[in-house]
């Protein structure tokens, strides 16, 4: 019998825990602060930022949204990031992608203080992740949220074969690192992989994050596999779907995330959770 991994319900549970943490901090006279910088008028990005802002406010987090024209220079954007670095009321900084082509996204990421890098993209934090460092550091929110989902459903990763499809810095690479750190054996597939079925048909866990409609079908997986779908696609009927052919795969999977209602809600919930964690870690470090 297939188990649906309910991201909406788990996000609600996570947000409730975060709200309690925020209330506890406020009783100490501390309000966690999150700053989101968005450049340009990308509709999907603006919708995502609105959802982040709304969730933060609902949980009691001080949410600051900085909207900038796509004509801003790289130097001007760096100056704004530096101001947020120096603002003691801000514990987490996120610069929403995509950025205009005249701005080097990696350069902007490197300008964010590692201890305020709520997205977990700074090379310093990525290095800690791949080293499986035992100190506190932020991790990319989507992969971290997926690990929360796997833990919630008591999915054991030790010694399991895990396949990550996609090698982006946002999902694929940090996801592979987290799974490896959890004791799984990892294979990362990408656009140059000649035959993905060679790897997916024997995998215990598959994380699909490519933005390719119907990438995985029932013939692509083994019976009882855990299927985590990070894809965001619009199908021929205009509906939001993932990388996985959900209806075809459903009866063959052991666990599966739906789209929508799976990974997506946990990404935002994890962002809020990590904002609070950054706040607490800052206190513990004496800052």
């Amino acid at each position: 019998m297939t188990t649906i991994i309910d991201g909406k319900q788990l996000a609600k549970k996570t947000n409730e825990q975060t709200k309690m943490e925020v209330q506890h901090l406020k009783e100490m006279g501390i309000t966690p602060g999150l700053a989101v910088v968005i450049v340009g008028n990308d509709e999907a990005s603006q919708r995502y930022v609105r959802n982040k802002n709304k969730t933060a406010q609902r949980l009691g987090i001080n949410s600051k949204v900085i909207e900038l024209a796509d004509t801003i220079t790289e130097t001007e954007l760096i100056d704004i990031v530096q101001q947020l670095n120096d603002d003691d009321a801000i514990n987490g900084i996120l610069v929403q992608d995509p950025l205009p082509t005249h701005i080097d996204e990696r350069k902007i990421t490197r300008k964010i203080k590692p201890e305020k890098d709520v997205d977990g993209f700074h090379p310093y934090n990525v290095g800690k992740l791949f080293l499986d460092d035992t100190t506190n550091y932020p991790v990319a929110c989507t992969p971290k949220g997926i690990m929360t989902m796997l833990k919630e459903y008591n999915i054991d990763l030790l010694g399991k074969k895990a396949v990550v499809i996609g090698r982006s810095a946002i999902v694929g690479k940090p996801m592979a690192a987290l799974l490896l750190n959890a004791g799984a054996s990892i294979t990362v597939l990408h656009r140059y992989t000649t035959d993905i079925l060679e790897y997916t048909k024997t995998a215990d866990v598959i994380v699909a994050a490519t933005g390719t409609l119907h990438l995985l079908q029932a013939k692509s997986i083994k019976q009882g596999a855990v299927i985590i779908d990070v894809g965001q696609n619009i199908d021929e009927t205009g509906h939001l779907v993932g990388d996985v052919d959900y209806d075809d795969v459903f009866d063959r999977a052991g666990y599966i995330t739906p789209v929508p209602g799976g990974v997506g809600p946990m990404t935002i919930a994890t962002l809020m959770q990590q904002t609070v964690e950054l706040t607490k870690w800052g206190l513990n470090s004496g800052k």
Side-chain angles (χ1 to χ4, degrees), residues 248-269:
D248 189 50
V249 164
F250 186 84
D251 288 336
R252 193 164 177 78
Y255 294 83
I256 191 168
T257 59
V259 177
V263 174
M266 278 305 297
T267 298
I268 294 181

Side-chain angles (χ1 to χ4, degrees), residues 190-241:
H190 46 76
R191 69 176 67 186
Y192 300 113
T193 303
T194 54
D195 181 9
I196 71 167
L197 293 184
E198 178 185 348
Y199 305 96
T200 60
K201 288 177 73 174
T202 60
D204 300 302
V205 179
I206 301 174
V207 180
T210 68
T212 303
L213 188 66
H214 294 169
L215 176 69
L216 286 182
Q217 299 175 326
K219 66 180 181 181
S220 311
I221 71 168
K222 78 173 190 179
Q223 187 71 39
V226 178
I227 308 299
I228 307 296
D229 193 350
V230 189
Q232 298 275 298
N233 310 289
I234 301 299
D235 68 8
E236 56 277 0
T237 66
H239 292 97
L240 178 65
V241 296

Side-chain angles (χ1 to χ4, degrees), residues 269-280:
T270 303
L271 174 69
M272 302 302 142
Q273 179 188 58
Q274 198 148 251
T275 299
V276 173
E277 287 174 343
L278 288 175
T279 306
K280 292 166 68 177

